[in-house]
């Protein structure tokens, strides 16, 4: 599979599916019953899924708008993560 096709395939996976696969990988790695080569492959896949999930969360945060009530009525304000306020 070409790298471009892999990126498209990864982007097509839902956040929930990526998290489910990531949890499965973590369980396998924590069990300790995985050969070294397989563990390395699982770790690499897990890192990619983690980055994908983080990217999807950042995209959603950019899309969220918070309504702020002021004296002049309601105003839209871009979503700010808790650590940015």
């Amino acid at each position: 599979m070409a790298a471009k096709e892999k990126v498209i395939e990864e982007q097509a996976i839902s956040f929930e599916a990526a998290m489910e696969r990531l949890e499965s990988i973590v369980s396998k790695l924590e069990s300790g019953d995985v050969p070294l080569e397989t563990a390395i492959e699982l770790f690499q896949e897990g890192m990619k899924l983690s980055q994908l999930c983080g990217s999807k969360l950042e995209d959603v945060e950019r899309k969220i708008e918070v309504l702020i009530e002021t004296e002049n009525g309601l105003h839209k304000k871009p979503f700010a993560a808790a650590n940015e306020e």
Side-chain angles (χ1 to χ4, degrees):
M1 178 181 302
K4 186 175 181 180
E5 292 172 356
K6 183 75 172 168
V7 169
I8 292 170
E9 181 181 306
E10 288 176 354
Q11 292 298 326
I13 189 171
S14 71
F15 176 82
E16 291 79 10
M19 284 299 295
E20 194 172 301
R21 176 65 182 145
L22 188 55
E23 288 172 3
S24 171
I25 289 171
V26 169
S27 293
K28 287 178 184 177
L29 291 174
E30 286 179 342
S31 74
D33 295 332
V34 181
L36 181 59
E37 286 295 319
T38 304
I40 292 170
E41 290 172 7
L42 288 171
F43 180 79
Q44 289 173 332
E45 181 183 356
M47 290 302 296
K48 289 178 185 175
L49 288 168
S50 175
Q51 291 171 346
L52 178 68
C53 288
S55 174
K56 286 184 180 276
L57 285 174
E58 288 173 6
D59 289 345
V60 169
E61 287 177 354
R62 281 192 288 273
K63 293 178 184 176
I64 295 175
E65 292 181 335
V66 180
L67 290 174
I68 303 296
E69 187 173 355
T70 66
E71 296 173 2
N72 300 329
L74 297 176
H75 297 281
K76 291 182 181 180
K77 176 183 173 187
F79 176 81
N83 60 356
E84 293 178 5
E85 294 180 0

